[in-house]
């Protein structure tokens, strides 16, 4: 938990979010600025700054994050499929330095910047 990290503060309940799913070590909440009909963020509770920091020892966590992405997309009506993307580092357009998977379902309003 980092006091200066936006998503750590959401995970800890210090900041509000529209949480759609929560399970051991993982939280999913709606993006505040959605670019598609459904736009949720799949977030590990543990502070991992970005995908480039993920270690082989966290392979199980990564697998669980991807499965939660599919489960939530399906539950929200996107059993036909969804978009999945991760921005990694400022060069990849990442604005919140706490690992998160974007899950986009349904009609796209615009493409992510
Ligand atoms: P990225 O630019 O890939 O790091 O994605 C960060 C995402 O977090 C953006 O799509 C933002 O709209 C979203 N975001 C920023 N602040 C919040 C917040 N307080 N609650 C939910 N989503 C947020
Ligand atoms: Zn964090």
């Amino acid at each position: 938990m980092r006091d200066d990290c936006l998503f750590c503060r959401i995970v800890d309940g210090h900041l509000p979010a529209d949480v759609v799913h929560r399970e051991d070590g993982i939280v999913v909440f709606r993006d505040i600025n959605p670019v598609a009909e459904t736009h949720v963020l799949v977030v590990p509770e543990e502070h991992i700054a970005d995908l480039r920091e993920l270690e082989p020892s966290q392979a199980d966590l990564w697998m669980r994050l991807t499965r939660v992405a599919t489960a939530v997309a399906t539950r929200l009506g996107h059993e036909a499929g969804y978009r999945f993307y991760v921005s990694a580092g400022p060069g990849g357009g990442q604005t919140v330095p706490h690992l998160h998977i974007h899950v986009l379902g349904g009609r796209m309003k615009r493409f992510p910047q």
Side-chain angles (χ1 to χ4, degrees):
M1 161 70 187
R2 304 267 177 95
D3 286 338
D4 59 347
C5 171
L6 180 64
F7 286 177
C8 279
R9 291 174 62 81
I10 288 177
V11 162
D12 263 42
H14 287 108
L15 286 177
D18 187 354
V19 174
V20 296
H21 179 82
R22 183 152 210 155
E23 64 178 64
D24 187 31
I26 299 174
V27 184
V28 185
F29 52 87
R30 291 191 189 275
D31 196 292
I32 205 167
N33 187 20
V35 301
E37 243 166 274
T38 294
H39 185 174
V40 298
L41 303 173
V42 181
V43 181
E45 287 184 358
E46 181 185 347
H47 182 87
I48 301 164
D50 70 54
L51 195 61
R52 299 169 303 166
E53 280 196 2
L54 210 58
E55 303 279 354
S57 63
Q58 293 165 313
D60 182 60
L61 173 63
W62 176 248
M63 189 66 212
R64 289 206 303 119
L65 290 166
T66 68
R67 291 182 64 83
V68 165
T70 296
V72 170
T74 301
R75 183 161 59 75
L76 294 178
H78 306 293
E79 49 283 298
Y82 64 96
R83 286 187 173 86
F84 174 114
Y85 83 90
V86 179
S87 46
Q94 188 179 5
T95 57
V96 178
H98 179 128
L99 179 63
H100 51 280
I101 297 168
H102 293 259
V103 170
L104 308 179
R107 197 172 48 79
M108 296 281 289
K109 296 176 183 167
R110 61 178 188 279
F111 284 97
Q113 298 296 303

